[in-house]
Amino acid sequence: MPFIHRVLRAGAIASCVVAISACSMVSSKEAEYKKSTSLPSLEVPPDLIAPAIDDNAIIPGRTSGGIAAPSPPSPLNSAPIAPQETRADKLLAPTSGNIRVERDGSLRWLVIKEDPAQLWPKVRSFLAESGFAITKEEPRLGILDTDWVENRPGTGKGGPSSFLRKSLDFLHSSSTRDTFRVRLESGATPGTTELYLSHRGMVQVVKGDSVNWLPRPSDPELEAEMLKRLALNLGTGETKAQEIKNELTGQPAPRATLANDTQGQLTLTLQEEYANAWRRTGQALDHMGLKVEDQDRAKGIYQVRFSGTVAQDGEKQGLFSKLFSSDSDDKKTGVSYQINLVSQGDKETRIIALDMAGGRDNSPMAQRLLTLLHEQLK
């Protein structure tokens, strides 16, 4: 038994030694911990951006500290979130209730509930998307002109050629050229725009070995179709757009007379008030293809360049052919005139031709200018 006692005693002593060593080690580590200092926060290099915390990685109902957070309101009780407005939504701003047709004699136009400055890029975009190149932009005058589009029989798929050919079935066997002018003016009601669209066309005539382009009358049906397509582009429904086209067509009663006044000066008289006469005159000048150099509604002045001459019997080139001459030809042969509108009361407006000095012009070419204007306004 003495041997067993000695073994147990030796084991007890060894255990005490291990325990004392462990205590000494813990005490040493604790002393080192107490002497340590905090390191500075991790700095992000200046050329990098610190990553943001992804909200999708956060557990709903919990905060970073593990404390329960208030639950979000139920979608059934919260207000619906409006969809984000896209560029297309902005381009389709006007709806069927925001576009209407106004008519005055032979003149038809659209009234749109939008400022001209806001409508301008939308109309420009419509023309470009329809395949018409824009050759002239005059924001100050509110005028957009398209290039001539030639339509040959049996050619072209889609684009303006296809559209024009469908609208001009009676000319399906002939090549044609078409151009459009859009005019924007501030409406009588603030926040509205009056939009006018006019068409000019030419037809190819073949006689033997000779091929000529001759002007053809403006087409009200084609203008109505273009305005219908514009209404659709601005967000109008198909049914309302067709109603707009139907309203744009029709035969007006004559409302203009051309005669010499008591002093023998040729005068064009419209049986309508000044505002309507101004609109119709601007549209008539567009149909005639005249270059509008300036305009002043307050003074009743349209300044135009007229390059035609009075056609004589037997002349090979008539007045209308010269109306389609280039701008360079206008600078050489054209003459500037002032078309002056003077109110004569609530139901009558007088139109006369003035020279650039402001004097009354009754020359043969000025008379011809008024005669052509009368053809458009009667």
Side-chain angles (χ1 to χ4, degrees):
M1 294 304 292
F3 174 78
I4 294 175
H5 284 291
R6 287 198 299 269
V7 172
L8 291 176
R9 184 177 178 182
I13 294 172
S15 298
C16 291
V17 170
V18 171
I20 293 170
S21 299
C23 291
S24 175
M25 184 179 297
V26 171
S27 177
S28 174
K29 293 292 184 181
E30 183 177 1
E32 291 180 4
Y33 172 76
K34 289 181 178 180
K35 292 189 292 182
S36 66
T37 58
S38 300
L39 295 175
S41 301
L42 180 64
E43 296 184 0
V44 179
D47 57 340
L48 296 179
I49 298 176
I53 297 176
D54 187 358
D55 292 339
N56 295 326
I58 299 177
I59 301 175
R62 293 285 179 180
T63 65
S64 59
I67 303 175
S71 300
S74 170
L76 297 178
N77 298 327
S78 59
I81 300 176
Q84 184 177 2
E85 185 181 31
T86 64
R87 180 178 182 272
D89 296 330
K90 294 180 180 179
L91 291 179
L92 300 180
T95 60
S96 58
N98 292 336
I99 302 178
R100 72 175 190 273
V101 176
E102 291 287 343
R103 53 188 298 170
D104 187 7
S106 61
L107 180 60
R108 307 286 192 275
W109 68 94
L110 298 182
V111 177
I112 303 173
K113 291 183 179 179
E114 193 162 2
D115 291 328
Q118 297 174 330
L119 190 60
W120 176 274
K122 300 177 184 180
V123 175
R124 192 186 189 286
S125 176
F126 163 73
L127 293 174
E129 291 172 2
S130 299
F132 293 96
I134 297 174
T135 59
K136 178 181 178 181
E137 295 183 63
E138 293 284 354
R140 182 176 63 87
L141 303 177
I143 293 176
L144 281 167
D145 284 340
T146 72
D147 198 1
W148 288 93
V149 175
E150 184 172 344
N151 312 292
R152 294 185 178 276
T155 61
K157 294 182 180 180
S161 297
S162 176
F163 153 59
L164 294 170
R165 194 158 35 252
K166 290 179 180 179
S167 303
L168 300 168
D169 292 336
F170 68 96
L171 290 174
H172 69 279
S173 62
S174 302
S175 294
T176 61
R177 289 178 178 175
D178 302 275
T179 183
F180 294 91
R181 169 175 289 183
V182 177
R183 179 189 294 272
L184 303 179
E185 293 189 6
S186 297
T189 303
T192 64
T193 300
E194 295 176 356
L195 185 147
Y196 307 84
L197 182 142
S198 56
H199 161 260
R200 287 187 291 145
M202 301 183 77
V203 61
Q204 190 179 66
V205 178
V206 180
K207 291 184 179 180
D209 296 334
S210 176
V211 179
N212 297 309
W213 285 97
L214 299 178
R216 72 177 194 270
S218 59
D219 189 343
E221 287 287 337
L222 192 53
E223 293 173 352
E225 178 64 23
M226 278 288 284
L227 288 173
K228 171 191 173 182
R229 289 170 178 251
L230 175 59
L232 286 170
N233 184 268
L234 293 175
T236 301
E238 179 67 37
T239 301
K240 178 61 178 179
Q242 185 60 45
E243 292 177 359
I244 289 175
K245 180 179 178 180
N246 294 338
E247 290 183 58
L248 290 166
T249 58
Q251 296 297 326
R255 304 182 66 177
T257 58
L258 184 66
N260 291 327
D261 59 17
T262 56
Q263 299 178 353
Q265 305 281 341
L266 194 62
T267 302
L268 177 59
T269 304
L270 302 183
Q271 300 302 320
E272 53 192 307
E273 52 93 18
Y274 177 81
N276 288 339
W278 174 264
R279 286 190 288 265
R280 293 189 61 207
T281 301
Q283 184 78 341
L285 294 173
D286 292 342
H287 278 141
M288 293 165 61
L290 296 184
K291 180 177 177 59
V292 178
E293 298 178 320
D294 202 355
Q295 64 186 51
D296 189 331
R297 183 169 180 167
K299 295 181 179 179
I301 295 291
Y302 279 107
Q303 181 180 319
V304 300
R305 180 169 289 273
F306 185 55
S307 60
T309 58
V310 177
Q312 302 294 330
D313 294 338
E315 276 191 337
K316 294 183 179 180
Q317 186 179 22
L319 171 64
F320 279 104
S321 296
K322 293 183 178 180
L323 285 178
F324 290 89
S325 59
S326 64
D327 288 342
S328 59
D329 293 335
D330 287 342
K331 293 177 181 179
K332 295 177 181 178
T333 63
V335 178
S336 293
Y337 290 90
Q338 297 184 64
I339 303 299
N340 185 209
L341 283 71
V342 182
S343 175
Q344 301 296 306
D346 294 337
K347 298 182 179 181
E348 185 175 297
T349 302
R350 184 186 65 176
I351 302 177
I352 58 177
L354 305 177
D355 57 29
M356 291 306 296
R360 190 74 177 269
D361 193 324
N362 203 43
S363 64
M365 191 150 62
Q367 291 186 23
R368 185 60 173 166
L369 176 58
L370 288 178
T371 301
L372 291 174
L373 192 56
H374 172 246
E375 291 296 323
Q376 294 289 332
L377 294 173
K378 67 181 182 180

